[in-house]
Amino acid sequence: MDLLHPIFKWLHIFAGVMWIGLLYFFNFVNGAFAGTMDANTKKNVVPELMPRALYWFRWGAAWTWITGLVLLYVIFWHGSLSMGESAGNYMFENGANVTMWSHLLIAFTFLAVFVYDLLYKSPLAGNVRVVTIVAFLLIAGTEYLMIHCGQFSYRAFNIHIGAMFGTMMAFNVWFRIWPAQQRIITAIKNGDAPDGSDIALAGLRSKHNTYMSVPLLWTMINEHTVVYNGKLFDCSGLIL
């Protein structure tokens, strides 16, 4: 475990930089540039550029998610997670016992993606303000349950909320953005107009990923920032 931790942490960082960097390229650079190209230029550029960029984009997402899962096991889940036992690691607050809530909330971290996907396929998605409020309430409710029912530690609920966002983002890349982009690229390559629904889906989920990347990165850093946990340290390391 001591060896796995640094190896997978650096792999996680490297893959994450590749993934998020390309995400920002697509949203902040390529999107505006694509609108300036005429049909012939798109036919020449898009089939060459996009498959290459999307290859690194989707595999960056996959390896970020896989290495993150390994890190969650190494840092938080490894050791005692049997029901009724106290886990002596970073996972639980003050050595709290492992309960059914603990397992349910760990599972929900990775199953919440299906709630998200259904939410944005529902009629609520037609009203941006309403669906955003519902999404924020669901996130707040999940965090409340992690703290008060699962007894997750400060570090644990931070990073599990981040893992929830990361899972949603990776799902978007592989199962929403990439399939839609394949159809768009094929249409442009054949000289046809892409389906508007594919453009809208890829654009919306890519925008969601850009928004979610901010709290995702914040949770990754904030789990180490004790000041937001109400703990301040003086120079001797004593809690004030």
Side-chain angles (χ1 to χ4, degrees):
M1 291 300 160
D2 290 341
L3 289 174
L4 287 177
H5 187 178
I7 291 171
F8 277 88
K9 179 166 282 188
W10 282 110
L11 289 173
H12 187 62
I13 292 170
F14 177 75
V17 168
M18 181 185 299
W19 178 21
I20 302 301
L22 282 167
L23 172 67
Y24 290 166
F25 164 75
F26 286 136
N27 282 275
F28 301 142
V29 179
N30 187 69
F33 171 69
T36 67
M37 294 189 291
D38 58 32
N40 287 331
T41 305
K42 282 185 179 179
K43 188 175 180 180
N44 292 326
V45 172
V46 171
E48 290 296 323
L49 172 66
M50 294 305 289
R52 299 171 191 268
L54 287 166
Y55 173 85
W56 292 103
F57 178 62
R58 68 182 191 273
W59 283 108
W63 281 107
T64 303
W65 190 85
I66 291 167
T67 53
L69 191 66
V70 173
L71 285 173
L72 281 173
Y73 175 78
V74 170
I75 299 171
F76 293 98
W77 304 340
H78 176 64
S80 174
L81 273 182
S82 299
M83 299 283 283
E85 293 187 10
S86 177
N89 55 24
Y90 295 115
M91 186 70 196
F92 298 101
E93 193 68 51
N94 300 321
N97 288 339
V98 181
T99 65
M100 179 183 68
W101 277 106
S102 311
H103 293 279
L104 286 174
L105 289 165
I106 290 173
F108 187 74
T109 299
F110 301 98
L111 295 176
V113 61
F114 300 110
V115 178
Y116 156 76
D117 195 50
L118 287 172
L119 178 63
Y120 280 94
K121 286 181 176 179
S122 73
L124 283 176
N127 188 317
V128 176
R129 181 174 296 176
V130 171
V131 78
T132 302
I133 292 171
V134 171
F136 270 93
L137 289 174
L138 289 171
I139 295 164
T142 301
E143 189 162 339
Y144 178 89
L145 291 174
M146 285 181 175
I147 296 169
H148 296 284
C149 296
Q151 296 294 307
F152 284 19
S153 69
Y154 176 73
R155 285 189 64 180
F157 76 74
N158 263 279
I159 206 62
H160 280 76
I161 291 292
M164 183 175 74
F165 286 131
T167 300
M168 292 173 183
M169 292 168 65
F171 174 89
N172 277 340
V173 169
W174 278 91
F175 299 104
R176 296 294 177 259
I177 298 171
W178 170 235
Q181 285 288 358
Q182 283 181 298
R183 293 189 291 270
I184 293 168
I185 292 167
T186 300
I188 293 174
K189 190 174 182 179
N190 295 334
D192 301 324
D195 190 320
S197 62
D198 285 331
I199 295 174
L201 176 61
L204 178 65
R205 295 306 177 95
S206 185
K207 185 183 292 184
H208 285 181
N209 277 12
T210 303
Y211 291 152
M212 285 192 282
S213 70
V214 177
L216 169 66
L217 294 171
W218 190 82
T219 57
M220 291 173 68
I221 302 301
N222 189 53
E223 63 151 333
H224 303 289
T225 310
V226 294
V227 66
Y228 296 117
N229 192 23
K231 295 178 181 178
L232 298 175
F233 293 80
D234 64 14
C235 294
S236 66
L238 299 175
I239 299 176
L240 299 176

